[in-house]
Amino acid sequence: PSRLLPKNASKADQVKYKLCEKFVSYLLKNKMTQAQLARKLKIDPSRVNEIIKYRINLYTVDKLMDLAEKLKIDFEVKVA
């Protein structure tokens, strides 16, 4: 990943980080470019770049989950 998650990261940041991982996996699995993914999500390509570079401070959990749902990405949230 482009950014490492600090050991003392909040639960929300941990969830956002995991969601970013899902987007990276989706890109690789589907052999898509960032521009193709941006078109599919109907967002600016720069936003996709932020997500795959783990810029979690720029997004809420809700926003990332909404985008993941558009791609039908399986994701389970566990709160400990």
Side-chain angles (χ1 to χ4, degrees):
S2 295
R3 293 178 188 267
L4 296 175
L5 193 64
K7 290 185 194 290
N8 63 343
S10 69
K11 295 288 184 197
D13 282 352
Q14 291 174 36
V15 170
K16 291 190 284 185
Y17 192 88
K18 292 287 186 189
L19 279 163
C20 288
E21 284 180 335
K22 294 286 186 177
F23 285 99
V24 173
S25 295
Y26 185 90
L27 269 177
L28 295 173
K29 179 180 169 191
N30 293 285
K31 298 181 173 79
M32 296 177 82
T33 65
Q34 291 179 37
Q36 290 169 324
L37 183 58
R39 279 193 297 279
K40 189 170 179 96
L41 292 171
K42 296 182 171 74
I43 63 174
D44 191 88
S46 65
R47 304 307 261 164
V48 170
N49 186 266
E50 292 166 353
I51 292 168
I52 66 165
K53 288 190 175 174
Y54 297 80
R55 301 286 307 275
I56 60 173
N57 58 314
L58 302 176
Y59 293 89
T60 63
V61 171
D62 288 348
K63 181 62 176 175
L64 290 172
M65 289 187 83
D66 287 345
L67 292 172
E69 286 176 8
K70 285 183 181 181
L71 300 176
K72 297 180 176 36
I73 291 176
D74 274 340
F75 188 76
E76 185 176 319
V77 177
K78 294 180 184 179
V79 180

